[in-house]
Amino acid sequence: MSREIIIGFLGCGNVGSGVWRLLEGFGPEIEHRAGLKFTVKKVLVRDLTRQRGIAFPQGVLTANPDDVLGDPEIQIVVEFLGGEEPAYSLMLRALNAGKTVVTANK
């Protein structure tokens, strides 16, 4: 039996879409080997109409940060926004909500 980890993305540009593809591609192997199933529930983007070359499931993309930060099911928030703001403020909100935060920034 696998343990499911629910993830929310803040941003989905080059790095975020690459991580999405890695999770999609290696997800079954990770689940088999480690017993962990990673599910990305919400992906915050600026432009919902922009083509990203990924067939996101219906309802995954959002332009509202509260859909990621306010969702009690999301355990881990991964930040791919870049720059200082709004990345800093959103990560602080996620931490204050008790979520684990991972950032792709240096």
XYZ file of all heavy atoms in Angstrom:
806
model
N 0.846 -1.186 0.000
C 0.000 0.000 0.000
C 0.885 1.240 0.000
O 1.835 1.344 0.745
C -0.885 -0.007 1.227
C -1.819 1.138 1.301
S -3.175 0.629 2.340
C -4.288 1.917 2.097
N 0.553 2.186 -0.851
C 1.350 3.404 -1.008
C 0.820 4.524 -0.127
O -0.370 4.608 0.146
C 1.315 3.877 -2.460
O 1.901 2.923 -3.285
N 1.721 5.379 0.273
C 1.367 6.610 0.981
C 1.309 7.727 -0.046
O 2.270 7.939 -0.790
C 2.418 6.903 2.041
C 2.137 8.165 2.807
C 3.097 8.311 3.984
N 3.102 9.706 4.354
C 4.187 10.432 4.518
N 5.371 9.892 4.387
N 4.102 11.703 4.834
N 0.192 8.442 -0.100
C 0.031 9.519 -1.082
C 0.487 10.839 -0.495
O 0.114 11.211 0.609
C -1.421 9.620 -1.545
C -1.604 10.621 -2.668
C -3.006 10.633 -3.232
O -3.947 10.304 -2.490
O -3.165 10.981 -4.402
N 1.309 11.558 -1.258
C 1.783 12.889 -0.911
C 1.132 13.861 -1.892
O 1.333 13.747 -3.102
C 3.325 12.993 -1.023
C 4.024 11.888 -0.233
C 3.794 14.377 -0.626
C 3.870 11.965 1.244
N 0.368 14.810 -1.374
C -0.340 15.779 -2.212
C 0.513 17.045 -2.304
O 0.921 17.605 -1.287
C -1.729 16.119 -1.642
C -2.534 14.848 -1.351
C -2.484 17.054 -2.586
C -2.900 14.044 -2.554
N 0.749 17.491 -3.540
C 1.654 18.606 -3.821
C 0.908 19.728 -4.530
O 0.016 19.479 -5.342
C 2.825 18.133 -4.711
C 3.603 17.012 -4.023
C 3.755 19.284 -5.082
C 4.632 16.356 -4.911
N 1.323 20.956 -4.258
C 0.863 22.122 -5.003
C 2.069 22.840 -5.578
O 3.092 22.973 -4.902
N 1.969 23.257 -6.827
C 3.040 24.004 -7.486
C 2.704 25.488 -7.469
O 1.564 25.868 -7.731
C 3.160 23.602 -8.964
C 3.904 22.333 -9.255
C 4.214 21.411 -8.281
C 4.285 22.056 -10.561
C 4.894 20.244 -8.581
C 4.960 20.897 -10.881
C 5.268 19.986 -9.895
N 3.711 26.310 -7.209
C 3.605 27.754 -7.420
C 4.454 28.046 -8.648
O 5.669 28.097 -8.578
C 4.126 28.525 -6.206
C 3.405 28.291 -4.877
C 4.072 29.086 -3.761
C 1.934 28.665 -4.989
N 3.810 28.164 -9.790
C 4.500 28.387 -11.048
C 4.681 27.102 -11.829
O 4.752 26.021 -11.251
N 4.725 27.283 -13.157
C 4.924 26.120 -14.022
C 5.541 26.558 -15.341
O 4.992 26.321 -16.412
C 3.611 25.386 -14.251
S 3.858 23.696 -14.849
N 6.713 27.201 -15.232
C 7.466 27.575 -16.425
C 8.363 26.422 -16.826
O 7.970 25.253 -16.736
N 9.577 26.720 -17.238
C 10.503 25.674 -17.686
C 10.809 24.653 -16.589
O 10.747 23.448 -16.824
C 11.814 26.286 -18.181
C 11.645 27.002 -19.498
O 10.790 26.661 -20.292
N 12.456 28.018 -19.712
N 11.148 25.142 -15.404
C 11.516 24.222 -14.320
C 10.286 23.481 -13.805
O 10.300 22.256 -13.645
C 12.243 24.965 -13.182
C 12.544 24.026 -12.026
C 13.524 25.602 -13.703
N 9.223 24.197 -13.546
C 8.006 23.567 -13.033
C 7.442 22.520 -13.976
O 7.058 21.431 -13.555
N 7.405 22.846 -15.265
C 6.888 21.858 -16.227
C 7.826 20.663 -16.336
O 7.384 19.526 -16.526
C 6.637 22.495 -17.598
O 7.833 23.014 -18.132
N 9.128 20.890 -16.162
C 10.077 19.779 -16.158
C 9.861 18.855 -14.973
O 9.906 17.626 -15.102
N 9.613 19.436 -13.809
C 9.340 18.627 -12.620
C 8.027 17.869 -12.795
O 7.926 16.691 -12.437
C 9.328 19.493 -11.344
C 8.848 18.696 -10.139
C 10.710 20.071 -11.089
N 7.020 18.517 -13.368
C 5.747 17.829 -13.649
C 6.009 16.585 -14.509
O 5.533 15.497 -14.202
C 4.773 18.774 -14.354
C 3.503 18.087 -14.782
C 3.307 17.335 -15.911
C 2.273 18.056 -14.069
N 2.028 16.854 -15.942
C 1.373 17.281 -14.820
C 1.840 18.610 -12.876
C 0.055 17.053 -14.416
C 0.533 18.378 -12.472
C -0.343 17.610 -13.234
N 6.775 16.774 -15.577
C 7.060 15.650 -16.483
C 7.838 14.534 -15.774
O 7.594 13.353 -16.010
C 7.820 16.144 -17.702
C 6.954 16.935 -18.666
C 7.723 17.344 -19.931
N 6.879 18.148 -20.786
C 6.910 19.479 -20.852
N 7.773 20.163 -20.120
N 6.095 20.128 -21.654
N 8.788 14.910 -14.913
C 9.547 13.900 -14.163
C 8.634 13.113 -13.222
O 8.740 11.883 -13.138
C 10.672 14.556 -13.371
C 11.870 15.023 -14.184
C 12.811 15.846 -13.318
C 12.608 13.840 -14.785
N 7.754 13.817 -12.511
C 6.829 13.127 -11.610
C 5.881 12.216 -12.379
O 5.578 11.112 -11.929
C 6.046 14.131 -10.768
C 6.826 14.835 -9.668
C 5.972 15.918 -9.017
C 7.315 13.843 -8.627
N 5.427 12.671 -13.528
C 4.549 11.850 -14.357
C 5.298 10.621 -14.888
O 4.775 9.521 -14.879
C 3.992 12.672 -15.532
C 2.973 13.703 -15.128
C 1.665 13.094 -14.684
O 1.080 12.312 -15.456
O 1.234 13.393 -13.562
N 6.526 10.830 -15.334
C 7.293 9.747 -15.930
C 7.815 8.731 -14.935
O 7.779 7.522 -15.172
N 8.330 9.227 -13.807
C 8.936 8.336 -12.822
C 8.008 8.006 -11.654
O 8.381 7.217 -10.772
C 10.233 8.947 -12.269
C 11.346 8.957 -13.268
C 11.741 10.152 -13.873
C 11.998 7.791 -13.630
C 12.768 10.170 -14.801
C 13.027 7.803 -14.549
C 13.412 9.000 -15.142
N 6.822 8.594 -11.635
C 5.882 8.368 -10.536
C 5.598 6.901 -10.257
O 5.681 6.461 -9.100
N 5.286 6.106 -11.277
C 5.020 4.692 -11.017
C 6.223 3.951 -10.427
O 6.058 3.116 -9.533
C 4.647 4.141 -12.398
C 4.122 5.325 -13.146
C 4.952 6.483 -12.661
N 7.417 4.283 -10.881
C 8.610 3.631 -10.353
C 8.869 4.048 -8.897
O 9.226 3.214 -8.054
C 9.828 3.969 -11.212
C 11.069 3.216 -10.789
C 12.241 3.437 -11.724
O 12.057 3.896 -12.869
O 13.365 3.146 -11.286
N 8.676 5.330 -8.600
C 8.840 5.807 -7.226
C 7.834 5.114 -6.310
O 8.176 4.660 -5.216
C 8.682 7.344 -7.153
C 9.816 8.036 -7.898
C 8.611 7.816 -5.704
C 9.600 9.526 -8.106
N 6.603 5.009 -6.792
C 5.574 4.355 -5.989
C 5.931 2.887 -5.740
O 5.803 2.383 -4.626
C 4.219 4.467 -6.677
C 3.087 3.920 -5.845
C 1.721 4.150 -6.456
O 1.630 4.729 -7.557
O 0.733 3.736 -5.822
N 6.406 2.223 -6.776
C 6.777 0.813 -6.649
C 7.949 0.623 -5.688
O 7.918 -0.247 -4.818
C 7.116 0.234 -8.026
C 7.643 -1.160 -7.978
N 6.828 -2.242 -7.721
C 8.889 -1.653 -8.135
C 7.566 -3.341 -7.716
N 8.816 -3.009 -7.974
N 8.974 1.443 -5.839
C 10.195 1.272 -5.040
C 10.082 1.835 -3.629
O 10.594 1.242 -2.678
C 11.381 1.933 -5.732
C 11.818 1.202 -6.966
C 13.004 1.888 -7.581
N 13.418 1.191 -8.790
C 14.653 1.121 -9.199
N 15.614 1.719 -8.524
N 14.954 0.477 -10.298
N 9.475 3.011 -3.485
C 9.466 3.692 -2.191
C 8.116 3.646 -1.476
O 8.022 4.042 -0.319
C 9.905 5.145 -2.362
N 7.084 3.222 -2.190
C 5.762 3.206 -1.585
C 5.160 4.590 -1.407
O 4.292 4.789 -0.569
N 5.635 5.552 -2.211
C 5.130 6.920 -2.157
C 4.497 7.285 -3.489
O 5.114 7.136 -4.536
C 6.262 7.908 -1.862
C 6.956 7.771 -0.520
C 8.163 8.694 -0.464
C 5.998 8.071 0.615
N 3.278 7.769 -3.432
C 2.602 8.236 -4.636
C 2.490 9.757 -4.545
O 1.863 10.298 -3.632
C 1.206 7.624 -4.736
C 0.454 8.110 -5.943
C -0.929 7.514 -6.017
C -1.618 8.047 -7.260
N -3.000 7.617 -7.338
N 3.141 10.445 -5.489
C 3.099 11.904 -5.526
C 1.984 12.351 -6.460
O 1.964 11.970 -7.629
C 4.437 12.475 -5.995
C 5.550 12.254 -5.015
C 6.460 11.229 -5.192
C 5.672 13.056 -3.895
C 7.483 11.019 -4.289
C 6.691 12.855 -2.978
C 7.596 11.832 -3.174
N 1.080 13.173 -5.935
C -0.028 13.699 -6.722
C 0.032 15.217 -6.683
O 0.003 15.814 -5.599
C -1.379 13.224 -6.152
O -1.402 11.799 -6.151
C -2.534 13.767 -6.978
N 0.142 15.841 -7.853
C 0.104 17.304 -7.931
C -1.359 17.687 -8.089
O -1.983 17.403 -9.109
C 0.952 17.838 -9.106
C 0.877 19.356 -9.146
C 2.396 17.364 -8.988
N -1.902 18.328 -7.064
C -3.326 18.657 -7.057
C -3.618 19.992 -7.722
O -4.611 20.134 -8.439
C -3.850 18.666 -5.619
C -5.336 18.910 -5.527
C -5.843 18.765 -4.127
C -7.350 18.981 -4.107
N -7.865 18.941 -2.732
N -2.767 20.989 -7.474
C -2.981 22.332 -8.022
C -1.674 22.925 -8.511
O -0.620 22.707 -7.909
C -3.580 23.279 -6.973
C -5.009 22.987 -6.608
C -5.933 23.351 -7.746
C -7.372 23.080 -7.384
N -8.281 23.364 -8.482
N -1.768 23.689 -9.599
C -0.615 24.373 -10.182
C -1.003 25.832 -10.406
O -1.878 26.133 -11.220
C -0.192 23.720 -11.519
C 0.941 24.495 -12.159
C 0.195 22.255 -11.312
N -0.359 26.729 -9.659
C -0.616 28.161 -9.802
C 0.134 28.703 -11.011
O 1.347 28.497 -11.137
C -0.156 28.910 -8.551
C -0.283 30.431 -8.597
C -1.749 30.852 -8.535
C 0.512 31.068 -7.469
N -0.591 29.371 -11.901
C 0.008 29.994 -13.086
C -0.555 31.412 -13.227
O -1.611 31.723 -12.695
C -0.273 29.177 -14.373
C 0.395 27.810 -14.311
C -1.759 29.029 -14.632
N 0.175 32.252 -13.951
C -0.314 33.613 -14.204
C -1.375 33.633 -15.286
O -2.339 34.383 -15.210
C 0.838 34.523 -14.626
C 1.609 35.087 -13.483
C 2.595 36.096 -13.994
N 3.695 35.386 -14.635
C 4.960 35.684 -14.512
N 5.306 36.730 -13.812
N 5.878 34.981 -15.097
N -1.168 32.829 -16.325
C -2.035 32.866 -17.495
C -2.610 31.471 -17.743
O -1.897 30.563 -18.165
C -1.222 33.330 -18.703
C -2.027 33.453 -19.975
O -3.239 33.139 -19.966
O -1.440 33.862 -20.998
N -3.888 31.321 -17.491
C -4.546 30.021 -17.667
C -4.660 29.598 -19.133
O -4.839 28.420 -19.415
C -5.941 30.047 -17.038
C -5.978 30.178 -15.519
C -7.400 30.439 -15.036
C -5.399 28.945 -14.859
N -4.534 30.559 -20.050
C -4.709 30.242 -21.469
C -3.398 29.882 -22.173
O -3.423 29.385 -23.293
C -5.358 31.426 -22.218
O -4.488 32.560 -22.146
C -6.710 31.771 -21.601
N -2.272 30.132 -21.520
C -0.967 29.850 -22.140
C -0.779 28.349 -22.365
O -1.047 27.535 -21.490
C 0.150 30.373 -21.246
C 1.524 30.117 -21.809
C 2.605 30.715 -20.919
N 3.875 30.146 -21.305
C 4.838 29.821 -20.472
N 4.693 30.028 -19.180
N 5.949 29.298 -20.904
N -0.290 28.005 -23.543
C -0.002 26.607 -23.865
C 1.326 26.210 -23.229
O 2.316 26.921 -23.353
C 0.048 26.416 -25.380
C -1.284 26.663 -26.062
C -2.369 25.722 -25.557
O -2.178 24.523 -25.461
N -3.520 26.289 -25.209
N 1.345 25.073 -22.565
C 2.541 24.611 -21.873
C 3.054 23.280 -22.387
O 4.022 22.754 -21.883
C 2.256 24.525 -20.372
C 2.065 25.887 -19.759
C 1.620 25.817 -18.311
N 1.603 27.159 -17.755
C 0.627 28.027 -17.960
N -0.407 27.697 -18.687
N 0.699 29.239 -17.438
N 2.365 22.687 -23.349
C 2.789 21.402 -23.885
C 2.538 20.242 -22.939
O 3.138 19.183 -23.078
N 1.661 20.445 -21.966
C 1.306 19.405 -21.002
C -0.214 19.310 -20.973
O -0.910 20.325 -20.931
C 1.813 19.759 -19.580
C 3.340 19.809 -19.551
C 1.295 18.752 -18.560
C 3.922 20.316 -18.252
N -0.715 18.104 -20.973
C -2.160 17.896 -20.867
C -2.525 17.792 -19.384
O -2.641 16.690 -18.834
C -2.568 16.638 -21.627
N -2.663 18.941 -18.741
C -3.027 18.946 -17.328
C -4.446 18.424 -17.159
O -5.326 18.760 -17.949
C -2.969 20.366 -16.756
C -1.586 20.915 -16.620
C -1.083 21.793 -17.564
C -0.782 20.548 -15.555
C 0.195 22.309 -17.446
C 0.502 21.056 -15.423
C 0.990 21.938 -16.378
N -4.687 17.654 -16.119
C -6.064 17.236 -15.851
C -6.946 18.459 -15.577
O -6.461 19.491 -15.084
C -5.932 16.370 -14.591
C -4.515 15.924 -14.566
C -3.729 17.047 -15.200
N -8.216 18.335 -15.874
C -9.184 19.409 -15.644
C -9.130 19.858 -14.193
O -9.125 19.029 -13.275
C -10.599 18.915 -15.980
C -11.669 19.967 -15.866
C -11.565 21.024 -16.947
O -11.072 20.769 -18.037
N -12.032 22.211 -16.657
N -9.057 21.171 -13.974
C -9.106 21.733 -12.639
C -7.777 21.841 -11.916
O -7.726 22.358 -10.799
N -6.701 21.365 -12.517
C -5.390 21.432 -11.858
C -4.824 22.844 -11.918
O -4.313 23.355 -10.927
C -4.397 20.412 -12.459
C -2.976 20.669 -11.969
C -4.825 19.003 -12.104
N -4.905 23.500 -13.066
C -4.372 24.863 -13.204
C -5.280 25.862 -12.504
O -6.501 25.761 -12.563
C -4.233 25.240 -14.678
C -3.212 24.473 -15.495
C -3.193 24.995 -16.925
C -1.828 24.540 -14.882
N -4.658 26.835 -11.850
C -5.394 27.893 -11.180
C -4.585 29.187 -11.238
O -3.361 29.150 -11.321
C -5.684 27.533 -9.706
O -6.441 28.600 -9.110
C -4.411 27.318 -8.906
N -5.284 30.306 -11.200
C -4.631 31.612 -11.114
C -4.782 32.200 -9.714
O -4.342 33.309 -9.456
C -5.223 32.559 -12.159
N -5.380 31.438 -8.807
C -5.643 31.903 -7.454
C -4.714 31.200 -6.461
O -4.850 29.993 -6.237
C -7.106 31.621 -7.089
C -7.493 32.153 -5.730
O -6.650 32.602 -4.959
N -8.778 32.096 -5.431
N -3.785 31.930 -5.823
C -2.868 31.306 -4.873
C -3.570 30.582 -3.720
O -3.065 29.607 -3.184
C -2.033 32.464 -4.333
C -2.244 33.596 -5.265
C -3.539 33.369 -5.967
N -4.765 31.034 -3.356
C -5.498 30.399 -2.264
C -5.888 28.962 -2.597
O -6.079 28.152 -1.687
C -6.742 31.207 -1.903
C -6.400 32.555 -1.288
O -5.313 32.673 -0.677
O -7.202 33.491 -1.426
N -6.003 28.644 -3.875
C -6.322 27.268 -4.269
C -5.198 26.305 -3.905
O -5.437 25.118 -3.719
C -6.606 27.182 -5.769
C -7.900 27.864 -6.169
O -8.752 28.116 -5.281
O -8.068 28.157 -7.364
N -3.981 26.818 -3.809
C -2.832 26.001 -3.385
C -2.614 26.147 -1.887
O -2.564 25.166 -1.146
C -1.543 26.406 -4.146
C -0.343 25.634 -3.624
C -1.708 26.209 -5.641
N -2.508 27.386 -1.431
C -2.131 27.658 -0.039
C -3.234 27.346 0.958
O -2.961 27.006 2.108
C -1.683 29.110 0.101
C -0.548 29.531 -0.834
C -0.266 31.003 -0.706
C 0.694 28.706 -0.578
N -4.471 27.446 0.523
C -5.595 27.221 1.431
C -6.171 25.824 1.373
O -7.132 25.527 2.074
N -5.612 24.966 0.560
C -6.128 23.603 0.437
C -5.525 22.733 1.539
O -4.321 22.486 1.549
C -5.773 23.037 -0.937
C -6.423 21.698 -1.216
O -6.569 20.885 -0.272
O -6.772 21.437 -2.374
N -6.342 22.241 2.466
C -5.797 21.449 3.569
C -5.208 20.108 3.142
O -4.416 19.524 3.884
C -7.003 21.251 4.497
C -8.195 21.463 3.638
C -7.779 22.413 2.548
N -5.554 19.615 1.956
C -5.002 18.341 1.479
C -3.568 18.480 0.976
O -2.809 17.517 0.988
C -5.865 17.760 0.362
C -7.204 17.252 0.827
C -7.973 16.561 -0.294
O -7.607 16.732 -1.478
O -8.928 15.851 0.038
N -3.205 19.678 0.507
C -1.863 19.890 -0.040
C -0.865 19.949 1.108
O -0.946 20.816 1.971
C -1.812 21.145 -0.922
C -2.660 20.924 -2.168
C -0.369 21.493 -1.293
C -2.778 22.111 -3.094
N 0.081 19.004 1.098
C 1.058 18.887 2.165
C 2.366 19.609 1.834
O 3.043 20.121 2.716
C 1.372 17.409 2.404
C 0.157 16.583 2.759
C 0.372 15.121 2.448
O 0.448 14.731 1.292
N 0.491 14.312 3.490
N 2.741 19.582 0.557
C 4.005 20.165 0.116
C 3.716 21.203 -0.963
O 2.989 20.930 -1.920
C 4.961 19.092 -0.441
C 5.291 18.057 0.637
C 6.238 19.733 -0.986
C 6.125 16.886 0.142
N 4.298 22.386 -0.814
C 4.202 23.440 -1.820
C 5.585 23.600 -2.432
O 6.568 23.803 -1.714
C 3.719 24.766 -1.192
C 3.772 25.898 -2.207
C 2.308 24.608 -0.633
N 5.656 23.495 -3.756
C 6.924 23.631 -4.467
C 6.881 24.934 -5.260
O 5.980 25.144 -6.063
C 7.178 22.431 -5.399
C 8.573 22.515 -5.995
C 6.998 21.117 -4.660
N 7.857 25.805 -5.007
C 7.872 27.143 -5.603
C 8.835 27.194 -6.780
O 10.012 26.886 -6.641
C 8.267 28.153 -4.510
C 8.277 29.584 -4.978
C 9.608 29.996 -5.571
O 10.650 29.623 -5.027
O 9.578 30.704 -6.596
N 8.289 27.575 -7.931
C 9.067 27.712 -9.161
C 8.928 29.109 -9.761
O 9.169 29.303 -10.944
C 8.586 26.712 -10.229
C 8.634 25.275 -9.813
C 7.465 24.568 -9.550
C 9.841 24.607 -9.704
C 7.502 23.238 -9.189
C 9.887 23.273 -9.343
C 8.711 22.584 -9.083
N 8.514 30.098 -8.977
C 8.194 31.419 -9.513
C 9.410 32.236 -9.904
O 9.366 32.995 -10.858
C 7.355 32.211 -8.500
C 5.985 31.625 -8.177
C 5.355 32.387 -7.032
C 5.106 31.653 -9.406
N 10.468 32.152 -9.142
C 11.624 32.997 -9.415
C 11.416 34.392 -8.870
O 10.294 34.814 -8.622
N 12.506 35.082 -8.664
C 12.425 36.431 -8.125
C 12.052 36.422 -6.653
O 11.850 35.382 -6.050
N 11.997 37.624 -6.085
C 11.704 37.738 -4.657
C 10.219 37.757 -4.351
O 9.767 37.124 -3.413
C 12.373 38.995 -4.094
C 13.883 38.885 -4.067
C 14.536 40.126 -3.504
O 13.897 40.851 -2.717
O 15.691 40.374 -3.857
N 9.478 38.517 -5.105
C 8.035 38.620 -4.879
C 7.288 38.272 -6.157
O 7.763 38.595 -7.238
C 7.649 40.039 -4.431
C 8.030 40.362 -3.018
C 7.339 39.502 -1.966
O 6.258 38.928 -2.235
O 7.892 39.372 -0.878
N 6.187 37.586 -6.076
C 5.445 37.221 -4.867
C 5.919 35.907 -4.219
O 5.292 35.421 -3.276
C 4.023 37.072 -5.364
C 4.186 36.524 -6.746
C 5.437 37.205 -7.284
N 7.020 35.343 -4.701
C 7.485 34.049 -4.201
C 7.653 34.053 -2.680
O 7.162 33.143 -1.996
C 8.794 33.662 -4.880
N 8.333 35.064 -2.149
C 8.594 35.118 -0.705
C 7.292 35.128 0.087
O 7.120 34.365 1.034
C 9.447 36.345 -0.369
C 9.648 36.535 1.115
C 10.586 35.764 1.803
C 8.896 37.464 1.823
C 10.766 35.928 3.174
C 9.081 37.633 3.184
C 10.004 36.862 3.859
O 10.168 37.020 5.207
N 6.378 36.010 -0.277
C 5.114 36.134 0.455
C 4.300 34.850 0.388
O 3.698 34.427 1.388
C 4.281 37.286 -0.111
O 4.956 38.507 0.069
N 4.277 34.217 -0.776
C 3.511 32.980 -0.924
C 4.138 31.834 -0.132
O 3.428 31.042 0.496
C 3.374 32.611 -2.403
C 2.545 33.586 -3.243
C 2.582 33.191 -4.709
C 1.115 33.673 -2.732
N 5.464 31.748 -0.126
C 6.128 30.697 0.658
C 5.895 30.918 2.151
O 5.666 29.957 2.892
C 7.624 30.651 0.348
C 7.932 30.060 -1.013
S 9.685 29.761 -1.277
C 10.372 31.382 -1.121
N 5.933 32.167 2.592
C 5.673 32.475 3.991
C 4.253 32.063 4.376
O 4.043 31.477 5.449
C 5.901 33.968 4.240
C 5.972 34.418 5.684
C 7.067 33.686 6.452
C 6.213 35.916 5.740
N 3.303 32.348 3.508
C 1.916 31.934 3.767
C 1.808 30.414 3.854
O 1.099 29.886 4.710
C 0.990 32.460 2.674
C 0.644 33.917 2.817
C -0.301 34.410 1.748
N -1.514 33.616 1.689
C -2.338 33.608 0.646
N -2.077 34.344 -0.424
N -3.421 32.863 0.662
N 2.511 29.715 2.965
C 2.478 28.250 2.984
C 3.060 27.715 4.289
O 2.488 26.807 4.909
C 3.237 27.688 1.779
N 4.185 28.272 4.714
C 4.799 27.844 5.973
C 3.879 28.123 7.160
O 3.729 27.285 8.056
C 6.149 28.532 6.168
C 7.261 28.066 5.237
C 8.452 29.014 5.318
C 7.681 26.642 5.569
N 3.256 29.291 7.160
C 2.327 29.634 8.239
C 1.102 28.728 8.253
O 0.475 28.552 9.298
C 1.906 31.104 8.153
C 3.005 32.042 8.599
O 3.827 31.688 9.422
N 3.034 33.231 8.029
N 0.779 28.148 7.104
C -0.336 27.203 7.012
C 0.092 25.782 7.388
O -0.707 24.851 7.304
C -0.926 27.232 5.598
N 1.360 25.615 7.763
C 1.843 24.314 8.201
C 2.291 23.386 7.081
O 2.460 22.188 7.293
N 2.496 23.946 5.907
C 2.916 23.131 4.764
C 4.440 23.081 4.670
O 5.122 24.015 5.064
C 2.325 23.695 3.486
C 0.796 23.707 3.511
C 0.200 24.223 2.256
C -1.302 24.348 2.330
N -2.024 23.149 2.689
N 4.935 21.994 4.122
C 6.347 21.902 3.798
C 6.565 22.675 2.514
O 5.767 22.578 1.582
C 6.756 20.424 3.609
O 6.524 19.733 4.836
C 8.213 20.293 3.212
N 7.644 23.459 2.448
C 7.918 24.279 1.263
C 9.267 23.866 0.663
O 10.245 23.717 1.379
C 7.949 25.780 1.618
C 8.381 26.625 0.425
C 6.576 26.222 2.118
N 9.261 23.705 -0.655
C 10.481 23.427 -1.412
C 10.589 24.536 -2.456
O 9.624 24.856 -3.126
C 10.402 22.063 -2.121
C 11.654 21.802 -2.948
C 10.171 20.942 -1.117
N 11.770 25.115 -2.582
C 11.963 26.152 -3.591
C 13.030 25.714 -4.587
O 14.009 25.070 -4.216
C 12.324 27.512 -2.965
O 12.478 28.472 -4.003
C 13.600 27.442 -2.152
N 12.815 26.075 -5.829
C 13.784 25.758 -6.881
C 14.774 26.892 -7.074
O 15.657 26.801 -7.896
C 13.046 25.475 -8.195
N 14.616 27.959 -6.298
C 15.509 29.120 -6.429
C 16.803 28.909 -5.676
O 16.877 28.139 -4.729
C 14.806 30.377 -5.905
C 13.730 30.827 -6.851
O 13.949 30.881 -8.048
N 12.580 31.153 -6.322
N 17.815 29.640 -6.108
C 19.110 29.562 -5.441
C 19.109 30.333 -4.138
O 18.430 31.270 -3.960
C 20.193 30.147 -6.366
C 20.321 29.401 -7.660
C 21.342 30.099 -8.524
C 21.196 29.624 -9.961
N 22.026 30.337 -10.856
